[in-house]
Amino acid sequence: MVRIKWDEQGKTVVDEIESANSIITFNASEDSGLIPGKDYYISTLPCDIYGGYRLSIYKDDLVAHYFGVHQMVDRSIYISPSDLQESELEFDNPDAPLVEEERPELDAITNILLHQYQRDPTEENKQALLDQMGLRYDKVVARKKAKLRELEREAKTPDLVEEMQGIVDEMVEKREIRLEQQFLRLIDPRNDDNPDDAWMVLRGASALNAYIGYAPVTNAEYAVFREGFIYDTGKENYPVVNVTIAEVTAYCDWLTAHDNSHTYRLPTDEEWVLAAGHMPKDVSMNSGHVESGLTAVDAYSQTTGACGGTDFWGNCWEWTSSTDASGSYIVKGGSWDSERDDCRSEKSDVVRTGTLGYTNVGFRVVRVDSSDIK
């Protein structure tokens, strides 16, 4: 239900809205259903289609979902999915659950625009690539929004709805930041010079030669640095925890002192997100008390981040060098006793006091060439 009024210029504006969640069904008048080559349009009252919309096409007892992007609908304006590609319509059983597309593959148009920018990196070509990436991003937001609506109707507990609402709000709020991060990853031309070592290319980082550790620093690795460091037998490959920022810094300085070519440090909040990427839906990880405590850093090696590293989500929080306004250090990735929602890469409001060590906070290291340090 929406109440409409007209402003001083005679334009339609929304006054009050009630029960704004809508499902509208259209039946084709022709016996054969929709006719190929014929245009179909949907007209609605003026509204803000927050997060996008889902257009479901039913045919022969199957359904294909098309996810439209976020948009405003004004008076006498039709919803017309002009960028709808037939190849995007996959007809499935209508009773099957909605599957969210977390990491969509690059489509043909995005690939063409990427190569165009790489050949001629002008601002115009960059914007064309960003615009196309934005379309793909907004369709993911629309899928999330559709999932949120399903949860609102079907979820047995309100916490599931609140979690998905937070994800949708965050994706809308941080849209430009995420697109810029994706763009930086895409245009980073580097290849991993040694895929078998413990260092992964940190794509999109401002330091073009930045690499990040494949996994958090382990007990065994830390024990080589700190004489007398003791840990439980059999936990050599567990992440080292209970370390303060000063101890982490000392470890990085020690690595630097033993390497004439590289400098080592903690990642910033932004670098950590670049390395991890977006946390996939239903990712397998050590969180939510699925384990009774910490596990080895490669226990969930089937789950990898955007850079190819592992153990980004769950197991233990990871220190970053970024701080909040009070000087507390931002930690990332959640831990074995965290809710899954707290493990999301984009969550940056969890902090710890840098002078203290915590039983569920470890760290991983960034490596850069010494020649780039000024």
Side-chain angles (χ1 to χ4, degrees):
M1 294 175 60
V2 59
R3 293 176 177 82
I4 301 173
K5 63 181 181 181
W6 284 262
D7 61 17
E8 296 178 354
Q9 286 74 38
K11 293 184 177 180
T12 308
V13 294
V14 174
D15 188 11
E16 296 179 26
I17 299 176
E18 298 177 5
S19 304
N21 305 332
S22 301
I23 298 176
I24 306 174
T25 302
F26 296 87
N27 292 319
S29 57
E30 297 85 358
D31 293 338
S32 59
L34 302 178
I35 299 176
K38 183 177 180 179
D39 292 332
Y40 293 85
Y41 297 90
I42 299 173
S43 177
T44 77
L45 292 169
C47 61
D48 177 2
I49 305 181
Y50 172 71
Y53 61 91
R54 177 175 60 174
L55 175 62
S56 299
I57 302 174
Y58 293 83
K59 182 179 180 181
D60 299 329
D61 296 323
L62 298 175
V63 60
H65 298 299
Y66 167 77
F67 293 87
V69 301
H70 175 86
Q71 63 174 279
M72 297 289 297
V73 178
D74 296 322
R75 184 173 60 157
S76 301
I77 297 297
Y78 294 96
I79 295 175
S80 176
S82 57
D83 63 331
L84 173 61
Q85 301 294 323
E86 185 176 352
S87 60
E88 293 185 6
L89 292 181
E90 297 180 5
F91 285 86
D92 298 313
N93 186 324
D95 295 326
L98 173 67
V99 178
E100 299 171 67
E101 185 180 353
E102 295 287 352
R103 288 182 180 174
E105 297 293 330
L106 290 184
D107 62 294
I109 297 176
T110 305
N111 264 318
I112 291 172
L113 294 174
L114 172 60
H115 294 319
Q116 179 176 295
Y117 175 81
Q118 290 171 330
R119 290 193 302 268
D120 185 16
T122 63
E123 192 62 33
E124 181 180 359
N125 286 340
K126 175 183 177 179
Q127 192 56 53
L129 176 56
L130 283 172
D131 288 344
Q132 178 62 21
M133 290 168 59
L135 277 176
R136 308 298 296 179
Y137 181 91
D138 291 341
K139 288 185 179 182
V140 175
V141 175
R143 289 174 183 269
K144 297 283 189 184
K145 191 67 175 180
K147 185 63 177 179
L148 173 61
R149 293 298 172 235
E150 286 190 1
L151 288 173
E152 287 176 334
R153 294 191 299 270
E154 302 170 3
K156 295 180 174 60
T157 57
D159 57 314
L160 294 176
V161 178
E162 293 173 2
E163 177 181 335
M164 182 57 71
Q165 182 69 66
I167 291 173
V168 170
D169 291 344
E170 186 176 66
M171 290 188 73
V172 172
E173 178 185 347
K174 296 185 177 180
R175 178 183 187 274
E176 301 309 314
I177 295 174
R178 286 206 194 176
L179 284 177
E180 184 66 21
Q181 289 173 338
Q182 292 175 15
F183 172 77
L184 291 174
R185 287 196 200 97
L186 274 180
I187 66 172
D188 194 324
R190 293 178 298 158
N191 293 315
D192 196 340
D193 51 11
N194 184 2
D196 297 324
D197 68 6
W199 300 99
M200 317 300 294
V201 176
L202 184 49
R203 297 193 180 280
S206 56
L208 295 180
N209 60 337
Y211 284 71
I212 193 164
Y214 172 77
V217 174
T218 64
N219 286 322
E221 291 170 331
Y222 191 74
V224 178
F225 151 71
R226 184 173 171 181
E227 186 177 352
F229 177 69
I230 300 174
Y231 54 87
D232 294 339
T233 302
K235 294 188 176 181
E236 294 81 2
N237 207 30
Y238 280 49
V240 62
V241 292
N242 263 327
V243 286
T244 66
I245 287 292
E247 290 170 328
V248 170
T249 301
Y251 176 79
C252 292
D253 291 344
W254 174 77
L255 289 176
T256 301
H258 288 77
D259 188 337
N260 295 326
S261 303
H262 302 105
T263 298
Y264 299 82
R265 58 173 173 79
L266 276 175
T268 65
D269 178 17
E270 180 182 12
E271 287 174 335
W272 194 97
V273 174
L274 283 171
H278 183 63
M279 187 180 83
K281 177 181 179 289
D282 296 333
V283 61
S284 179
M285 61 181 177
N286 180 15
S287 70
H289 296 268
V290 297
E291 307 276 2
S292 58
L294 296 174
T295 56
V297 296
D298 58 357
Y300 291 83
S301 58
Q302 72 272 29
T303 298
T304 58
C307 70
T310 192
D311 214 34
F312 279 102
W313 306 290
N315 209 15
C316 71
W317 293 95
E318 297 181 23
W319 287 114
T320 73
S321 62
S322 301
T323 58
D324 67 2
S326 68
S328 296
Y329 286 81
I330 296 172
V331 293
K332 304 290 291 185
S335 64
W336 68 273
D337 55 353
S338 299
E339 297 296 330
R340 291 179 67 89
D341 183 49
D342 289 333
C343 299
R344 288 183 293 116
S345 303
E346 296 78 18
K347 193 173 183 65
S348 295
D349 58 356
V350 181
V351 297
R352 296 287 187 271
T353 303
T355 56
L356 301 177
Y358 301 86
T359 58
N360 62 354
V361 179
F363 70 102
R364 79 176 72 213
V365 176
V366 165
R367 185 193 78 185
V368 298
D369 286 350
S370 297
S371 58
D372 275 5
I373 304 299
K374 299 179 179 179

